[in-house]
Amino acid sequence: MPIFPQRKLTFKHPKQRELRLNSVAKYNEDIDDFKNIKIKLSNERELQFVDGEWISINKSQQEEFDDTARLVRENKRLENENSTLNVKMDIMLDLLTECISEKEAIAKK
């Protein structure tokens, strides 16, 4: 009698995945809802979650806060744009310097 009996290997096909009802477009729409989380604690006190911090806002301060938050986001965007432009400028200067030095080396020969 053999130690390991010969068995035929059978391959079981996995079940097909069902189509998901939730689509990526739905998630993209819902993400905007989570960017402006507000909690109303009392009639005059309200907290808003912005950039990882809870900020206390009175109803009278809401318009000022919206303007300030908009300006802070614009400032960050402009700083990022400025840094990328500085990197591009450095690369262009390096390329120009390399080109000029190659032309001078050819002219000396």
Side-chain angles (χ1 to χ4, degrees):
M1 176 174 245
I3 297 174
F4 299 107
Q6 297 285 336
R7 293 186 189 165
K8 291 183 180 179
L9 297 175
T10 59
F11 180 73
K12 295 181 181 179
H13 293 284
K15 294 180 181 178
Q16 287 186 344
R17 293 181 68 181
E18 297 176 7
L19 293 176
R20 296 181 185 234
L21 298 176
N22 46 9
S23 66
V24 175
K26 180 181 175 186
Y27 286 128
N28 288 339
E29 292 171 0
D30 292 341
I31 288 174
D32 293 334
D33 294 339
F34 291 108
K35 289 183 180 177
N36 297 322
I37 299 174
K38 295 179 184 177
I39 296 176
K40 186 175 181 180
L41 300 176
S42 64
N43 289 340
E44 295 296 321
R45 186 166 170 125
E46 188 174 317
L47 294 176
Q48 185 170 4
F49 189 74
V50 177
D51 295 329
E53 295 181 16
W54 287 101
I55 299 173
S56 177
I57 301 173
N58 293 335
K59 291 186 179 187
S60 61
Q61 294 175 337
Q62 183 67 34
E63 292 177 7
E64 282 182 26
F65 176 74
D66 290 342
D67 292 340
T68 304
R70 183 183 53 79
L71 290 174
V72 167
R73 284 193 303 269
E74 181 71 15
N75 189 22
K76 286 181 183 178
R77 186 189 66 78
L78 290 173
E79 286 175 354
N80 289 336
E81 184 179 347
N82 189 23
S83 64
T84 55
L85 290 174
N86 285 335
V87 169
K88 287 180 182 180
M89 181 68 76
D90 290 340
I91 292 171
M92 294 301 288
L93 285 174
D94 290 343
L95 291 172
L96 180 64
T97 304
E98 183 180 348
C99 183
I100 290 173
S101 64
E102 287 176 357
K103 287 187 179 186
E104 287 178 357
I106 292 173
K108 287 182 181 179
K109 290 182 181 180

